[in-house]
Amino acid sequence: MKTFNWPKHSILAIAIVLTWIKTYVVYHISFDMKIENVMQQLILFLNPLSFLLFIYGVSLFFKSVKARNRYLLITSSVLAVILYANVAFYRFFSDFITLPVLFQTSNFGDLGASAAESIFVTDVLYFADVVILFIVMKFIVVEKEFGVIKPAIRKAYFVLAAAVLFLNLGLSETERPQLLTRSFDRELLVKNIGTYNYHIYDIYIQSKSHAQRALADGSELVEVNNFVRSNQAEPDVEVFGLAEGKNLIVVSLESLQTFVMNEEMNGQVVTPFLNELSSDKDTFYFPNFYHQTGLGKTSDSEFLVENGLYPLGGGAVFFTHSGNTYNSMAERLGDNGYFTNVMHANNKSFWNRDMMYNALNVDKFYDVDSYTVEDGDAVNWGLKDIPFFEQSVDHMTEMPQPFYSRLITLTNHYPFHLDEPDQFIPEYDSNSGTLNRYFQTARYMDESVKLLFEDLKEKGLYENSIIVMYGDHYGISENHNDAMAQYLGKEITPFESAQLQRVPFFIHVPGSDKGQVVEEVSGQIDIRPTLLHLLGIETSKDMQLGADVFSEDHEEFVVFRDGRFVTKDFVYAGNTCYEKETGLATDAASCAPYTERAAEELGYSDQIINGDLLRFYDVKTGNLLIDEANQSK
Ligand code: GP9
Ligand code: MN
């Protein structure tokens, strides 16, 4: 009988193809990944390949067939274990494994209990490729198996692997721009760069932050603490405790910028309800309030609100530092008897929220699984804000009171699409479809907030709650400056761009009769102390960088994440100092005293986060735990 002559490197090729195909099949049968178009399907298919080419390709450096085969088999087994661990984890948590979960001991209870339920006998099939590879090695005789491999061949092989990687990354970048710099969602990462590359990326991100953490011993906190204490603002006696004991409802208004407030677009009022609210007798409205977010967008605004610290300059702190110790607003409220929760009808792993909310001590996260998404109820990013608010209020009626609920809206999100019946005003008429549609989605948001207020009243929650709302970050980027200039009727200079970082901020205290338009220059970093003081909770020991906007000591000085800043009279942007009133460039000396302060504030905030310094701090007593920390090192 004539035996078939298997070509050189058959076993290597078989190992790659087996794991590749198995991974692709597992994507479909074991993970609930929403694939929306052919391109996404193609990327999904392609994405395990580059990693497999590299990892199995290492076998080309082995000299003997035996060693090579052993390496291939071990690699195949390890990859099978990794993939299977994700499958089992996903069954229970609907999420992929990220390094911190393996180190968060609090998870182990859950993990242990769930492991048994997440494993089935049929799961041995996840290892079928390893078995096949083993059989292949035993029975296939590979003719002319190579001895030492020529460097040129190896080189060509790895060039090919790199080409596949770049093709993969290129396709992902077109499908999901900034995926790696912003790293917004584990599911998207796996969908685009593949499960194995994702783990490498995860290890890279986590170890980077781990190194800085390991170097910190707490002594850094002395200086940080001095800075924080010297900038502290005493609460205003009139406002302190104004809403004591009330429920706190904080609404993140997706992409809402102040430039649409109290304005018209081609004769159409954009935000009729919010306009009315801004001059309501129970509302404090802040027209000179700025967002301070970076690449982490919505999650950065959440970070600011919860911690009164700046997000990071690169990457999303929700991803990079979810293992840190924080003294969040949720934790403070929890200690004061509040039931704390976040409501957001999106995938829970988006922005790593599921992990971060643990670190922030949020009692419950109502993610997309807590919402019913009927046909026609979703648009662009998911559940529309109107049904989202409706169902959120239903959840609130079932909560213990007082509660702190943070609601994150979604409809007014790029690319600002809306179904026809939700378009209450026509589009704008510039050369930017994005800006044109933005007015419509902002108008929809206004309507949804109006209904939220009505619903809260109807369900009897209104009187006993305060409703706080803030725009999370810009919606219209600088790519649309021409269209924006057309709408505003002025050129978009760096000064105007900085002013466009204004987002609306409302504090509505039903029945207070204290409402006013507060012109004070302030920012998202101030939300935490402001709200805690309103609820009658002291923050004099808290490690936060913002200040209560109602305090006499509150300084009109807002630092943006990229170092730009705004004061009462000046705006510093594009390396130029502008006079606020005229928008004209002025003497650099006017901004000079603040430039250093801005860097200092950002620097201290970064130090706290990168060094995980709050683990050395007892927020209850205000004591620095430096000695203990050194002992435990
Ligand atoms: C995602 C939502 C939007 O869940 O919060 O995030 P963004 O892109 O605005 O940061
Ligand atoms: Mn957002």
Side-chain angles (χ1 to χ4, degrees):
M1 196 176 80
K2 193 172 181 305
T3 46
F4 176 71
N5 280 347
W6 290 80
K8 259 185 178 183
H9 307 308
S10 290
I11 294 183
L12 171 61
I14 290 169
I16 292 170
V17 171
L18 280 172
T19 315
W20 180 14
I21 301 303
K22 181 191 74 174
T23 308
Y24 180 66
V25 172
V26 169
Y27 283 162
H28 281 285
I29 58 172
S30 308
F31 304 124
D32 175 25
M33 294 209 253
K34 292 143 222 104
I35 297 296
E36 286 148 14
N37 55 44
V38 182
M39 180 56 105
Q40 288 183 6
Q41 190 66 259
L42 179 74
I43 294 173
L44 192 71
F45 177 67
L46 189 69
N47 74 33
L49 186 57
S50 62
F51 175 81
L52 297 177
L53 284 169
F54 278 114
I55 193 90
Y56 281 121
V58 172
S59 68
L60 297 175
F61 291 92
F62 289 90
K63 291 206 173 84
S64 79
V65 176
K66 203 167 151 205
R68 202 161 48 234
N69 283 359
R70 193 181 315 133
Y71 171 81
L72 290 176
L73 202 62
I74 291 172
T75 305
S76 164
S77 314
V78 170
L79 295 181
V81 169
I82 292 174
L83 190 65
Y84 177 65
N86 276 291
V87 169
F89 188 81
Y90 196 93
R91 281 182 188 149
F92 199 75
F93 296 104
S94 305
D95 199 352
F96 297 92
I97 297 175
T98 161
L99 221 50
V101 297
L102 302 178
F103 296 109
Q104 273 167 23
T105 38
S106 58
N107 276 330
F108 286 148
D110 277 353
L111 277 176
S114 59
E117 290 164 43
S118 309
I119 294 173
F120 309 112
V121 185
T122 45
D123 287 354
V124 290
L125 288 174
Y126 286 100
F127 297 86
D129 57 329
V130 184
V131 177
I132 298 174
L133 185 65
F134 180 73
I135 296 171
V136 162
M137 285 174 181
K138 286 272 160 260
F139 294 99
I140 291 184
V141 182
V142 178
E143 280 273 310
K144 298 181 279 180
E145 255 309 350
F146 50 89
V148 179
I149 294 167
K150 288 198 201 91
I153 301 210
R154 265 202 307 256
K155 206 165 153 193
Y157 176 92
F158 284 104
V159 167
L160 171 78
V164 174
L165 177 67
F166 285 117
L167 174 68
N168 186 169
L169 292 179
L171 292 176
S172 308
E173 185 62 24
T174 45
E175 185 58 31
R176 272 291 172 178
Q178 292 191 308
L179 181 69
L180 292 180
T181 40
R182 296 182 58 207
S183 62
F184 25 78
D185 186 11
R186 266 188 291 287
E187 184 179 312
L188 284 175
L189 279 167
V190 173
K191 244 162 76 171
N192 282 283
I193 62 170
T195 172
Y196 309 112
N197 285 334
Y198 152 70
H199 283 300
I200 292 186
Y201 178 72
D202 185 50
I203 290 169
Y204 164 72
I205 290 216
Q206 304 301 342
S207 51
K208 229 172 58 177
S209 58
H210 211 77
Q212 280 172 315
R213 183 180 189 275
L215 289 175
D217 62 8
S219 55
E220 305 83 352
L221 211 47
V222 177
E223 201 185 321
V224 178
N225 192 40
N226 288 341
F227 180 81
V228 171
R229 296 301 145 235
S230 63
N231 286 298
Q232 205 153 308
E234 283 298 309
D236 174 276
V237 279
E238 290 264 307
V239 186
F240 186 85
L242 183 67
E244 192 164 343
K246 293 205 178 200
N247 303 316
L248 171 61
I249 300 172
V250 176
V251 183
S252 157
L253 302 169
E254 177 59 46
S255 301
L256 194 67
Q257 293 178 240
T258 303
F259 79 88
V260 293
M261 283 288 303
N262 294 305
E263 291 294 345
E264 290 184 0
M265 179 278 297
N266 291 342
Q268 306 278 346
V269 181
V270 189
T271 52
F273 178 74
L274 293 175
N275 295 351
E276 208 179 293
L277 195 71
S278 70
S279 53
D280 177 90
K281 65 174 186 44
D282 291 338
T283 304
F284 299 97
Y285 173 63
F286 300 79
N288 294 312
F289 179 85
Y290 294 79
H291 86 77
Q292 295 164 294
T293 63
L295 289 174
K297 307 272 292 283
T298 309
S299 66
D300 279 357
S301 71
E302 296 183 57
F303 188 83
L304 281 146
V305 169
E306 287 293 343
N307 303 305
L309 296 173
Y310 294 91
L312 294 180
V317 58
F318 260 43
F319 257 97
T320 54
H321 292 81
S322 65
N324 274 16
T325 300
Y326 294 104
N327 303 138
S328 69
M329 181 152 82
E331 184 177 307
R332 296 287 273 125
L333 288 170
D335 289 346
N336 282 274
Y338 277 73
F339 171 64
T340 63
N341 56 91
V342 179
M343 301 177 160
H344 182 46
N346 197 359
N347 203 347
K348 66 179 180 179
S349 70
F350 206 103
W351 285 133
N352 198 28
R353 286 186 172 105
D354 49 352
M355 297 295 140
M356 191 57 164
Y357 291 169
N358 275 337
L360 296 176
N361 267 310
V362 172
D363 292 330
K364 186 170 164 70
F365 179 18
Y366 296 85
D367 64 14
V368 68
D369 295 334
S370 302
Y371 291 84
T372 317
V373 187
E374 305 277 2
D375 258 6
D377 272 359
V379 72
N380 77 110
W381 278 55
L383 185 62
K384 294 177 187 175
D385 290 346
I386 291 178
F388 164 67
F389 279 143
E390 250 169 37
Q391 296 181 45
S392 299
V393 174
D394 285 344
H395 287 312
M396 286 179 204
T397 58
E398 284 166 11
M399 285 175 196
Q401 296 197 29
F403 59 74
Y404 161 38
S405 288
R406 208 148 54 67
L407 284 70
I408 304 169
T409 62
L410 202 51
T411 308
N412 188 36
H413 193 287
Y414 179 83
F416 311 110
H417 285 301
L418 270 188
D419 293 335
E420 191 128 3
D422 300 322
Q423 299 173 0
F424 306 122
I425 56 172
E427 283 191 12
Y428 184 52
D429 54 11
S430 73
N431 66 2
S432 154
T434 301
L435 181 66
N436 297 350
R437 292 188 299 275
Y438 178 76
F439 291 98
Q440 290 185 313
T441 44
R443 174 68 184 81
Y444 174 88
M445 168 172 281
D446 183 84
E447 192 68 18
S448 69
V449 172
K450 179 175 139 195
L451 297 175
L452 168 69
F453 273 64
E454 284 172 10
D455 212 15
L456 287 170
K457 286 180 185 163
E458 219 167 86
K459 304 266 164 60
L461 289 165
Y462 175 78
E463 297 294 335
N464 204 29
S465 304
I466 68 167
I467 302 144
V468 176
M469 300 188 286
Y470 66 91
D472 62 350
H473 49 76
Y474 69 85
I476 305 299
S477 73
E478 294 186 7
N479 297 336
H480 307 276
N481 272 357
D482 286 349
M484 191 59 110
Q486 177 189 334
Y487 174 69
L488 296 178
K490 54 185 166 188
E491 195 198 337
I492 310 298
T493 58
F495 167 79
E496 291 299 340
S497 286
Q499 290 297 72
L500 281 167
Q501 287 228 25
R502 274 178 295 184
V503 293
F505 179 41
F506 303 85
I507 302 177
H508 182 75
V509 187
S512 67
D513 214 10
K514 283 213 167 4
Q516 53 168 300
V517 175
V518 186
E519 297 287 345
E520 182 94 359
V521 170
S522 54
Q524 289 168 328
I525 201 152
D526 299 323
I527 294 181
R528 183 187 191 278
T530 304
L531 297 186
L532 286 173
H533 289 172
L534 257 179
L535 296 174
I537 298 168
E538 276 275 355
T539 65
S540 58
K541 297 203 169 64
D542 293 23
M543 200 62 83
Q544 60 193 358
L545 289 162
D548 180 346
V549 285
F550 296 114
S551 165
E552 280 215 353
D553 309 332
H554 179 270
E555 204 185 338
E556 300 200 67
F557 177 49
V558 172
V559 182
F560 297 177
R561 183 54 257 195
D562 56 12
R564 287 179 289 167
F565 58 80
V566 179
T567 71
K568 191 169 189 299
D569 303 313
F570 303 102
V571 169
Y572 181 78
N575 290 321
T576 308
C577 188
Y578 293 91
E579 197 178 54
K580 188 105 151 282
E581 206 169 300
T582 59
L584 296 175
T586 182
D587 195 356
S590 306
C591 287
Y594 297 97
T595 343
E596 206 171 299
R597 278 266 318 278
E600 208 176 22
E601 274 214 37
L602 293 169
Y604 283 129
S605 182
D606 288 351
Q607 264 192 14
I608 294 177
I609 299 164
N610 290 328
D612 187 10
L613 297 186
L614 296 180
R615 72 195 145 129
F616 304 120
Y617 187 65
D618 181 349
V619 69
K620 295 218 167 69
T621 59
N623 290 338
L624 311 187
L625 309 173
I626 299 176
D627 290 336
E628 272 174 52
N630 281 336
Q631 277 162 25
S632 69
K633 273 186 91 176

